[in-house]
Amino acid sequence: MDTVAVVCYEGFDELDAVGPYEVFENAGRAGAGWDVTLRSVRETETVTASHGLRVEPDGPLAAVDADLLVVAGGGWNTRGDDGAWAEAERGELPELLATAHDRGATVAGVCTGGMLLARAGLLDGRPAVTHQGAIDDLRATGAEVVDARVVDDGDVLTAGGVTSGLDLAVHLVAREWGEDVAERVTREMEYERRGSVYREPGSGQR
């Protein structure tokens, strides 16, 4: 697992993307051999997040063969023209996620980014969680809703509300690079992990 793509789009929640991005970058400084990039759905110079932050992505998602994709949520419940709901309705991002997973990438959804995984068909028959405001929508898919902050089913992971992206990212660092690296990251960020991590028995790394 060498290349990490944190996926953003118009209306994404800032912390959903920036939190994991910072964890992964700090993990690189602590010994993890990851190349971390910020990727947009389409070719664009800037992307504007839900609270107005404007970011410059490193390029479109289709231009990189990432080993790990982390998908931000945001805007699912408002059903607006931007955000996770809009991206699910457009269909391009779910298709990109399904294609990446089919070629062997691990895909993780933060908050309602998990609903984009569901729309891609990646949560069918799998344990999963999302933001509490979208839990009923998740139950209406083929996913098995789990009461946990982070759900690890091997090559597909999900996390609950906005700040759970930090716990998802730290968990992935620990899983892939060991607890020593993860502890160095949490010390650097002065962050204490919260909540439970659910791992499906026998899931492993698929």
Side-chain angles (χ1 to χ4, degrees):
M1 190 177 287
D2 300 316
T3 304
V4 179
V6 178
V7 185
C8 64
Y9 45 82
E10 293 292 323
F12 77 97
D13 185 273
E14 284 88 339
L15 189 56
D16 283 4
V18 176
Y21 188 97
E22 183 166 339
V23 169
F24 296 144
E25 281 289 347
N26 282 324
R29 296 187 183 97
W34 272 343
D35 176 23
V36 185
T37 65
L38 182 68
R39 294 286 163 171
S40 57
V41 179
R42 291 162 287 277
E43 184 73 51
T44 183
E45 291 186 1
T46 62
V47 175
T48 303
S50 61
H51 294 83
L53 178 70
R54 300 183 71 188
V55 298
E56 297 181 0
D58 297 308
L61 181 58
V64 62
D65 289 332
D67 303 296
L68 169 63
L69 283 70
V70 177
V71 187
W76 178 268
N77 295 319
T78 60
R79 303 294 200 263
D81 293 333
D82 295 323
W85 170 264
E87 291 299 332
E89 291 295 290
R90 290 187 185 103
E92 184 178 356
L93 180 51
E95 183 177 342
L96 288 168
L97 299 177
T99 298
H101 183 259
D102 286 345
R103 64 166 173 74
T106 295
V107 182
V110 178
C111 193
T112 55
M115 296 307 302
L116 288 161
L117 271 62
R119 188 64 67 93
L122 302 183
L123 301 184
D124 292 351
R126 289 179 180 262
V129 69
T130 190
H131 188 280
Q132 60 182 353
I135 283 291
D136 288 341
D137 289 339
L138 183 61
R139 287 197 178 99
T141 71
E144 174 193 342
V145 176
V146 172
D147 183 15
R149 189 160 171 83
V150 176
V151 177
D152 180 348
D153 194 31
D155 57 349
V156 175
L157 300 91
T158 50
V162 178
T163 58
S164 65
L166 291 164
D167 297 292
L168 171 71
V170 172
H171 170 71
L172 278 164
V173 171
R175 192 184 87 172
E176 300 299 323
W177 297 100
E179 283 292 339
D180 288 346
V181 175
E183 287 177 9
R184 289 177 65 184
V185 170
T186 54
R187 283 199 303 271
E188 170 69 22
M189 296 180 69
E190 295 190 2
Y191 181 74
E192 294 183 10
R193 284 180 261 190
R194 296 178 52 203
S196 61
V197 176
Y198 176 89
R199 299 194 73 168
E200 186 74 357
S203 61
Q205 179 67 35
R206 299 174 197 251

